[in-house]
Each structure stands twice: as C-alpha cells, then as structure tokens.
C-alpha cells in the first residue's frame, strides 16, 4: 500500500510539475496529490458508466435487429408461398384458356406465322421502294403472344391484298437511288411489278437491309439494257426483260463474264492461238479472193484462147505454148507440162501456212489444257480443295484454251478445203486446156493421108 502511494505520488509529481513548483510545503503537495487522485477516480468511474451504458444499448440494437430479421424471414416465407400459389393459379388458368380456345389457338399460331412471313416478304419486296414502312403494322401481330384483335386481322388481310394488287402494277415514281459510285440521288424509277426496276436506262436492285434501291455496278449486255431503255422511254412496242426471281437471276447475269474476260482466262497461250488464227484467217481469205479472181479470169480466157494474156494462169500457159519454137511433139508437151506445173504451184502457194495453223491451233489448245491442269493441281497441293475458287483459274485456262484451239481450227479447216478445191479446180481447167493444145499440136504435125 505504501509502495502504491509512493508510485502514485511520483506520477502526480511528474504530471503536475507546474503545480508542484507552486507548492510551498510537503502538506500542500500531499493535498494536491490527493485532489488529482480523486479527480482521476471520478473520471474512471464516469468512463466505466459510459461503457456499461453503451453495452446495454448494443444489446438493445442486437435484439431489435434480430426481431427485424425474424420479421423479414417471415415475410419472405409468406411471399414465397404466395408466389407458389400464383404459379399454380396461372398454370390452371392457362390450361383453362387452352381448353377454351381449342382449335383457335392453332389458328392464331398460323396467323402469327403468316404475319411474320408476310413481314419478311414485304420488307424484301421491290414494291417497298414505292411504299416504304408497310411491314410496321404487322410487327405487333407477329411478335405478340396474345390473341390478335379483329383490327389486327384486318390489317393482315389488307397488307396481303395490297401486295397482290401492287404486284401487277407498272408504275413510275420518285425514289432515292444509290448510284454505282455510292452517291444517293432522287430519281424517276420505273417498276415492273415486284420483279424489275430501272432508272435512266440502268437496272436497279432492292437492298432489303438498307431499304433502298441500288444501281447495279455492272449492267447486263447492251441488248438487254437497250430494250429496257426503249421500253421505259415509251419508244413504241418493245420487250421488257423481267427477273422472276426478284433480282437473283439479274445478279447472276451481271456476274457472267464477257467475251473479253473469257478470252483473258486463256492467258498467253490463248492470245497466241487467237493471233495465229487471225493471221491465218486473213491470209487465207485474201488468198481465196485471189484464187476466185484467177478463176474468173481463167473462165474468160477459156472463151478467148486465141488471145492469151499473162494476167491469169491459163493465159500464161497459152503464152508458153506459143513461145515453144520446136516442132517436136515431145518437146512441146514437156514445155507445156513445165508451164502447167509452175502455174499449179502458184495456185497452191501459201495454202500450207493455213494448214500449219489449222493443225497447230488444237495442239496449242491442248498445251493450254495441260498447263491449266498443272496450275489447278498446284493450287490443290498448296490450299487443298476447301475453296473451289482457288482452282477456278487453272480450270478456266484449261477449258478456254481448248475452246480457242477448236474455234480457230474449225474455220481454218473449211478455209483450207475451199482453198484446195478452188486451186484444184483452176488447175484442172489449165490441165484440160494444155491437153487440148498438145493434141492440136500433134494433129498439126502428123502427115495427112
């Protein structure tokens, strides 16, 4: 006890140094120490009372929250029971509704399905370019699970009737059109039912996603666009091309390569075949024209054998016969045969060039076929057979070169036959006339009885 008192006194001395300095005696110091100890005891008692009060309030709060939790659990259980009860009631009412509707449920399902199909058809129809937004009235019917009202059924019937009526129209109207360069402008459009639309002589297709008319980037052949332009301008009676597939056939027709594009598939070999074929064809036609002209001159010379001219084979043979100064029949015949052979050689001159190209064209086509198949197999080796477009180049080269070889060879066969027959016919006339000259020479040199 004495130790505790002295320890307390020491603490008080340290804490209250200022007041200790003011004490004038030990009695004053003791009084001050007792006063401070009493104040500290009061503060401790006050804090202990506050702690006990807070603990009591915490107990009350815990009890209150526990009561609230129990109340919420009870309410949750009540709501869960009510939910289960409502679910059973909804199921019972739905079953009752299904039984009462009977076959009408199937009918309303067909109505919703028909409304959905019609909505898609109207959205992709070319008529929507003239009458946009027609499918908006069908959205509630197609998406609702409720029984459709009478007004909705009438709207469905009206949409069907309007589409059938407009499908038979040929009308001109103003609509925005997206050009091939991407610019949109208001144009006059002519619509032929739900099949074809043209503007300024250009065919249009309906973009169902963007709900806008789009000009084809590549138009069909000139005869088709020309007929459509004349029809749209009202230039008398004209045929109008119609796409019954509503744009699909037209798109495929546009994607069909032109002749120049097909020829480019043949590559260098294809162009070589065409060059040789064109050169041989021009040369052969010129040669055929010269032979035909020679034939006409020979026919005229036959009627005037006494006046030979050097402008035709027969005239040159007749001139050679007159130039023979020997009376020996054998020498005359030999000289005349020499002149005939020389003229026949001239008549057949150049035909061999046409024959060479005629034979070489199919061989070059076969060469193109082989190189095209090699390219195809290389593509298969590198990329597999997953994408047929990777093999299309080689197959196109193989087929186009074969086609070009046959296209060049067939006319050259006919041309070679015509050249050969014409030269042969003229040569036969010259031979006949030379044989007559030889016979006349022999008769003139034989002694008369």
């Amino acid at each position: 006890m004495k130790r505790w008192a002295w320890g307390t006194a020491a603490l008080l001395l340290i804490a209250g140094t200022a007041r200790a300095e003011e004490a004038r005696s030990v009695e004053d110091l003791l009084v001050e120490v007792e006063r401070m100890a009493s104040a500290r005891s009061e503060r401790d008692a006050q804090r202990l009372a506050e702690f006990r009060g807070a603990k009591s309030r915490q107990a009350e709060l815990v009890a209150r929250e526990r009561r609230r939790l129990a109340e919420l659990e009870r309410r949750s259980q009540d709501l869960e029971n009510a939910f289960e009860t409502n679910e059973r009631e909804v199921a019972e009412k739905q079953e009752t509704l299904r039984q009462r509707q009977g076959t009408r449920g199937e009918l309303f399902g067909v109505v919703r399905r028909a409304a959905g199909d019609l909505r898609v058809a109207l959205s992709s129809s070319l008529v929507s370019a003239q009458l946009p937004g027609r499918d908006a009235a069908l959205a509630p019917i197609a998406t609702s699970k409720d029984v459709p009202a009478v007004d909705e059924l009438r709207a469905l019937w009206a949409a069907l009737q309007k589409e059938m009526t407009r499908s038979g129209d040929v009308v001109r109207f103003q609509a925005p059109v997206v050009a091939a360069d991407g610019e949109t402008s208001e144009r006059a459009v002519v619509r032929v039912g739900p099949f074809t639309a043209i503007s300024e002589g250009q065919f249009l297709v309906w973009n169902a996603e963007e709900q806008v008319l789009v000009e084809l980037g590549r138009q069909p052949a000139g005869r088709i666009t020309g007929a459509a332009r004349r029809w749209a301008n009202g230039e008398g009676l004209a045929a109008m091309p119609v796409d019954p597939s509503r744009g699909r056939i037209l798109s495929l027709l546009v994607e069909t390569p032109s002749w120049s594009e097909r020829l480019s598939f043949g590559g260098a070999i294809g162009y070589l075949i065409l060059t040789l074929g064109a050169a041989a064809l021009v040369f052969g036609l010129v040669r055929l024209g010269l032979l035909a002209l020679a034939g006409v001159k020979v026919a005229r010379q036959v009627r005037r054998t006494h006046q030979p001219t050097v402008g035709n084979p027969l005239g040159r043979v007749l001139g050679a016969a007159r130039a023979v100064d020997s009376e020996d029949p054998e020498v005359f015949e030999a000289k005349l045969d020499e002149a005939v052979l020389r003229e026949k050689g001239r008549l057949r001159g150049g035909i061999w060039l046409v024959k060479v190209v005629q034979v070489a064209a199919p061989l070059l086509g076969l060469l193109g076929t082989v190189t095209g198949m090699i390219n195809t197999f290389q593509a298969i080796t590198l990329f597999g057979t997953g994408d047929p477009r990777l093999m299309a180049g080689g197959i196109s080269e193989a087929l186009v070169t074969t086609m070009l070889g046959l296209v060049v060879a067939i006319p050259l066969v006919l041309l070679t036959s015509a050249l050969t027959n014409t030269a042969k016919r003229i040569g036969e006339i010259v031979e006949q006339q030379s044989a007559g000259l030889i016979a006349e020479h022999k008769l003139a040199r034989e002694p008369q009885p």
Side-chain angles (χ1 to χ4, degrees), residues 112-288:
R112 285 191 291 268
R113 189 163 52 251
D117 295 341
L118 181 59
R119 184 184 180 188
V120 175
L122 293 181
S123 177
S124 59
S125 176
L126 188 59
V127 182
S128 297
Q130 179 187 4
L131 304 173
R134 298 181 301 158
D135 58 333
L138 301 176
I141 308 175
T143 58
S144 176
K145 295 183 179 180
D146 298 332
V147 176
V150 176
D151 294 338
E152 293 177 339
L153 295 176
R154 288 176 178 173
L156 175 61
W157 171 80
L160 284 170
Q161 183 64 36
K162 185 178 295 184
E163 177 66 13
M164 289 188 294
T165 304
R166 295 293 179 264
S167 297
D169 292 343
V170 178
V171 295
R172 185 187 300 269
F173 60 95
Q174 295 291 128
V177 177
V178 179
D181 57 0
E183 295 184 358
T184 304
S185 59
E186 196 78 11
R187 294 190 192 175
V189 179
V190 178
R191 175 178 62 83
V192 182
F195 309 111
T196 305
I198 56 176
S199 176
E200 299 179 359
Q202 304 294 313
F203 281 88
L204 309 177
V205 293
W206 175 247
N207 189 335
E209 295 181 358
E210 301 294 335
Q211 293 290 297
V212 67
L213 288 169
V214 180
E215 180 181 317
L216 286 176
R218 176 179 173 183
Q219 295 293 321
R223 57 183 181 84
I224 298 178
T225 55
R229 188 180 297 107
R230 290 191 299 272
W231 184 87
N233 296 334
E235 300 177 3
L237 184 62
M240 175 60 189
V242 174
D243 185 2
S245 65
R246 303 189 181 189
R248 295 185 182 91
I249 296 178
L250 185 60
S251 300
L252 294 176
L253 182 63
V254 169
E255 293 177 359
T256 303
S258 61
W259 278 107
S260 60
E261 294 174 341
R262 290 183 186 274
L263 295 179
S264 65
F265 295 156
I269 297 178
Y271 287 119
L272 178 61
I273 294 173
L274 289 177
T275 303
L276 292 177
L281 183 62
V282 171
F283 177 80
L285 291 177
V286 172
R287 188 61 184 162
L288 183 62

Side-chain angles (χ1 to χ4, degrees), residues 301-357:
Q301 186 66 64
V302 169
R303 294 192 295 270
R304 295 180 297 179
T305 56
H306 58 284
Q307 296 179 352
T309 59
V310 296
N312 63 89
L314 181 57
R316 288 190 291 269
V317 171
L318 294 175
R322 289 189 176 187
V324 176
D325 55 359
S326 176
E327 296 184 358
D328 188 355
E330 294 182 358
V331 174
F332 181 81
E333 183 177 357
K335 293 289 185 179
L336 203 59
D337 287 343
E338 179 185 358
V340 170
L341 290 175
R342 184 168 56 250
E343 294 301 326
K344 290 177 67 175
R346 290 178 179 177
L347 292 174
R348 291 193 297 267
I351 298 179
W352 66 273
L353 291 174
V354 182
K355 288 184 178 179
V356 168
V357 178

Side-chain angles (χ1 to χ4, degrees), residues 22-42:
E22 298 177 356
R24 297 178 181 179
S25 63
V26 178
E27 293 296 332
D28 294 339
L29 179 61
L30 180 60
V31 172
E32 184 65 24
V33 170
E34 289 177 353
R35 188 185 64 76
M36 294 178 65
S38 176
R40 181 172 181 176
S41 298
E42 292 177 358

